[in-house]
């Protein structure tokens, strides 16, 4: 074959911002699941989908002839897959409105006109950037530590970041700094804030969000990411508040509490004028028929009950981890809050009193848990205010059993190999050894 020549040069053809892009990474980029690992890294629902399934993982229902069986209780129209899905999804949007019309924050009522639905929250994150930000000119404001896709999507769209860090160690909003930044820079069009935060698990104060919405001169949109809201105190969601504020977007997902990460469905509640823009610029058939049908079933009373029971089990294990983790030598403080299905916790440089948060220890624990024990968590030590921190998803009771056992073993091994057991830990071990001998 003759050698082909071409003037094509990717480095000069692709956009510079894309060539420089670092893709969003997760722990499973480092540690693939072989089916035996405990996955406490991605904040998935460890108890499975919020659907009424039998012991074999099949949907409970009846067979087509009316007899008892395990045929699908969800009407997934496989014969209709040759047709494009509904581009508007009004029934699904109404189901989402029914879920969030609690009237805890307003007497007004959400309608399908307040909604955009997309492929996870990520589609809404990107769509908002494309709708409001002129590439190479406009900016977004983010509050680190926070979800990494805000910055990835901003770079893809050639939109600059303005960072106003959260206030450690509780990770609340620095409202004076945020409002000052919005006053100083008219090119900031969007402020992405996360409640409960990721990786902080902290619920933001309603009055702090309101102070940003009430900014006297900023012409921009507050984007409130509520991916984990169903793990927070009941009534915490501000979704219905979009009926009061024309500059508010509240994003949610079925990936977390609903245990439906695999169907990739997210929603953005907002003023009808913004919703119309987002629905106009989306791909015409962005939500597949199976995704829509499974989502609608999950939002029905029968399946909602399963989600709520699974959520309650997660909250029980969260309380257990809050109680048991501090008993392990080498574990430091919990940072942020406890309003999600994960916790942010420090690993110390030495066990016992006097220990300080250590990225060296945290990274060693992260690697040893995954490589030696098959337990995958998330290292977060390089983010603002998270020195020495691991983010640990709350698992099932059995998974938490194993995690607590393995992290204790790993920490002891690390401190022993480093000669950093500490006097109190050595004294405790000597007493245990003496008791065994006696």
């Amino acid at each position: 074959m003759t050698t082909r020549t071409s003037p094509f040069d990717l480095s000069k053809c692709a956009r510079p911002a894309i060539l420089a892009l670092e893709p969003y990474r997760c722990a499973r980029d480092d540690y693939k699941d072989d089916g035996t690992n405990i996955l406490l890294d991605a904040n998935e629902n460890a108890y499975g989908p919020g659907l009424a399934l039998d012991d074999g993982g099949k949907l409970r229902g009846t067979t087509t002839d009316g007899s008892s069986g395990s045929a699908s209780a969800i009407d997934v129209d496989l014969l209709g897959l040759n047709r494009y899905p509904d581009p508007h999804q009004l029934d699904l949007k109404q189901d989402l409105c029914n879920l969030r019309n609690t009237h805890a924050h307003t007497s007004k009522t959400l309608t399908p006109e307040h909604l955009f639905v997309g492929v996870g929250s990520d589609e809404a994150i990107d769509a908002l950037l494309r709708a409001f930000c002129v590439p190479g000119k406009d900016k977004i404001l983010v509050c680190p530590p926070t979800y990494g896709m805000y910055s990835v999507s901003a770079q893809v769209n050639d939109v600059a970041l303005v960072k106003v860090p959260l206030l450690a160690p509780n990770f609340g909003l620095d409202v004076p700094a945020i409002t000052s930044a919005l006053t100083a820079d008219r090119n900031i069009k969007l402020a992405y804030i996360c409640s409960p935060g990721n990786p902080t698990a902290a619920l933001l104060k309603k009055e702090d969000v309101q102070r940003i919405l009430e900014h006297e001169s900023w012409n921009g949109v507050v984007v409130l990411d509520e991916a984990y809201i169903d793990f927070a105190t009941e009534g915490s969601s501000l979704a219905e508040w979009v009926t009061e504020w024309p500059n508010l977007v509240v994003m949610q997902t079925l990936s977390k509490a609903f245990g439906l990460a695999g169907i990739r469905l997210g929603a953005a509640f907002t003023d009808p004028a913004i919703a119309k823009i987002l629905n106009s610029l989306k791909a015409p058939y962005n939500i597949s028929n199976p995704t829509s049908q499974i989502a609608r079933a999950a939002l029905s009373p029968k399946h909602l009950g399963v989600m709520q029971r699974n959520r309650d089990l997660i909250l029980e294990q969260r309380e257990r981890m809050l109680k048991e983790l501090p008993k392990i030598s080498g574990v430091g403080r919990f940072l942020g809050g406890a309003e999600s299905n994960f916790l942010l916790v420090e690993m110390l440089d030495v066990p016992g009193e006097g220990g300080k948060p250590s990225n060296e220890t945290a990274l060693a624990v992260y690697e040893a848990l995954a490589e030696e024990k098959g337990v995958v968590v998330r290292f977060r030590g390089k983010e603002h205010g998270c020195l020495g921190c691991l983010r640990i998803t709350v698992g099932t009771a059995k998974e938490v059993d194993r995690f607590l056992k393995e992290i204790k073993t790993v920490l002891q091994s690390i401190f022993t190999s480093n000669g950093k057991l500490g006097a109190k830990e050595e004294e405790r071990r000597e007493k245990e050894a003496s008791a065994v001998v006696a």
Side-chain angles (χ1 to χ4, degrees):
M1 179 181 292
T2 58
T3 302
R4 294 186 178 183
T5 60
S6 171
F8 177 70
D9 183 345
L10 179 64
S11 66
K12 295 178 181 178
C13 184
R15 289 169 48 207
I18 300 302
L19 291 170
L21 185 66
E22 292 292 333
Y24 180 81
R25 287 186 59 81
C26 64
R28 284 172 228 179
D29 289 320
D30 300 321
Y31 302 108
K32 304 299 183 185
D33 179 32
D34 61 2
T36 64
N37 291 342
I38 291 179
L39 303 176
L40 306 180
D41 59 306
N43 302 339
E44 297 151 325
N45 190 319
Y47 283 92
L51 299 171
L53 307 176
D54 62 22
D55 292 339
K58 303 295 184 182
L59 283 160
R60 297 171 187 161
T62 57
T63 59
T64 53
D65 62 3
S67 61
S68 174
S70 297
S72 176
I74 296 175
D75 184 18
V76 177
D77 181 15
L78 299 180
L79 291 176
L81 290 180
N82 60 313
R83 302 299 181 190
Y84 286 109
D86 178 0
H88 305 296
Q89 301 290 341
L90 294 180
D91 291 335
L92 172 58
K93 290 174 180 177
Q94 185 60 61
D95 291 340
L96 289 163
C97 290
N98 294 342
L99 179 70
R100 299 307 179 195
N101 273 322
T102 64
H103 300 300
H105 304 283
T106 178
S107 60
K108 296 180 180 178
T109 299
L110 290 164
T111 68
E113 287 70 33
H114 290 96
L115 266 167
F116 165 80
V117 290
V119 182
S121 297
D122 297 326
E123 184 175 358
I125 291 169
D126 182 74
L128 286 161
L129 278 158
R130 290 186 287 126
F132 288 97
C133 297
V134 176
K137 174 188 174 184
D138 290 330
K139 305 173 184 178
I140 66 170
L141 183 144
V142 296
C143 298
T146 193
Y147 181 41
M149 279 304 297
Y150 308 144
S151 60
V152 171
S153 290
Q155 187 171 349
V156 168
N157 288 282
D158 198 15
V159 172
L161 292 177
V162 174
K163 298 181 180 181
V164 180
L166 297 172
L167 297 169
N170 295 324
F171 295 115
L173 291 173
D174 188 345
V175 176
I178 292 172
T179 55
S180 293
L182 298 178
T183 299
D185 195 336
R186 293 181 177 273
N187 288 328
I188 299 174
K189 293 295 184 67
L190 301 166
Y192 283 94
I193 55 180
C194 202
S195 182
N198 177 12
T200 69
L203 190 69
L204 300 179
K205 294 179 180 178
K206 177 180 176 180
E207 56 268 30
D208 286 348
V209 177
Q210 182 168 343
R211 286 167 66 189
I212 300 170
L213 288 166
E214 290 178 336
H215 193 288
E216 68 279 358
S217 63
W218 179 54
N219 183 27
V221 177
V222 174
V223 185
L224 184 62
D225 190 339
E226 289 189 344
Y228 301 96
I229 198 65
D230 290 299
F231 298 110
T233 306
E234 187 174 353
S236 295
S237 174
L238 296 179
E240 62 184 2
W241 229 15
V242 303
T243 62
E244 299 282 353
W245 300 95
N247 56 331
L248 175 64
V249 176
V250 178
M251 298 188 302
Q252 296 185 352
T253 178
L254 297 191
S255 295
K256 306 303 180 182
F258 282 84
L260 292 172
I263 72 169
R264 307 303 299 127
L265 186 90
F269 296 85
T270 189
D271 183 83
I274 294 179
K276 182 178 180 180
I277 292 173
L278 298 179
N279 284 309
S280 296
L281 65 81
K282 75 174 181 67
Y285 310 109
N286 62 330
I287 304 299
S288 72
N289 282 330
T291 289
S292 177
Q293 291 157 3
I294 293 171
R296 291 206 64 206
L299 292 164
S300 68
K302 172 182 178 180
H303 298 291
L304 271 175
V306 177
M307 181 278 281
Q308 290 160 353
R309 288 194 294 274
N310 288 345
R311 178 196 59 199
D312 290 345
L313 291 171
I314 288 170
L315 299 188
E316 288 178 12
Q317 293 307 311
R318 184 179 73 189
E319 292 305 309
R320 180 180 167 209
M321 290 173 66
L322 286 167
K323 179 180 178 182
E324 297 298 330
L325 265 174
K327 297 177 183 178
I328 297 174
S329 188
V331 173
R333 301 172 299 170
F334 292 104
L335 300 189
E339 297 281 353
S340 192
N341 68 329
F342 59 87
L343 297 167
L344 186 68
V345 61
E346 295 173 331
M347 301 292 109
L348 305 180
D349 57 352
V350 295
E353 296 179 8
K356 297 179 180 179
S358 166
N359 271 356
E360 181 182 358
T361 304
L363 193 56
V365 171
Y366 165 67
E367 291 174 347
L369 280 175
E371 295 171 6
E372 301 170 17
K373 307 298 183 181
V375 178
V376 184
V377 297
R378 196 79 187 269
F379 173 67
R380 279 288 178 245
K382 293 184 179 180
E383 297 189 42
H384 170 79
C386 299
L387 179 66
C389 282
L390 298 178
R391 191 194 70 191
I392 304 160
T393 305
V394 179
T396 65
K398 288 184 178 180
E399 288 174 341
V400 172
D401 286 342
R402 182 170 157 189
F403 164 72
L404 291 171
K405 173 187 174 183
E406 301 295 12
I407 194 171
K408 180 178 180 180
T409 301
V410 163
L411 278 165
Q412 287 178 348
S413 176
I414 290 170
F415 292 137
T416 299
S417 63
N418 291 340
K420 294 181 178 180
L421 267 179
K424 287 190 175 182
E425 180 66 14
E426 288 180 352
E427 182 180 349
R428 183 188 67 79
R429 287 194 173 194
E430 287 175 4
K431 286 181 178 179
E432 287 183 354
S434 299
V436 170
V437 172

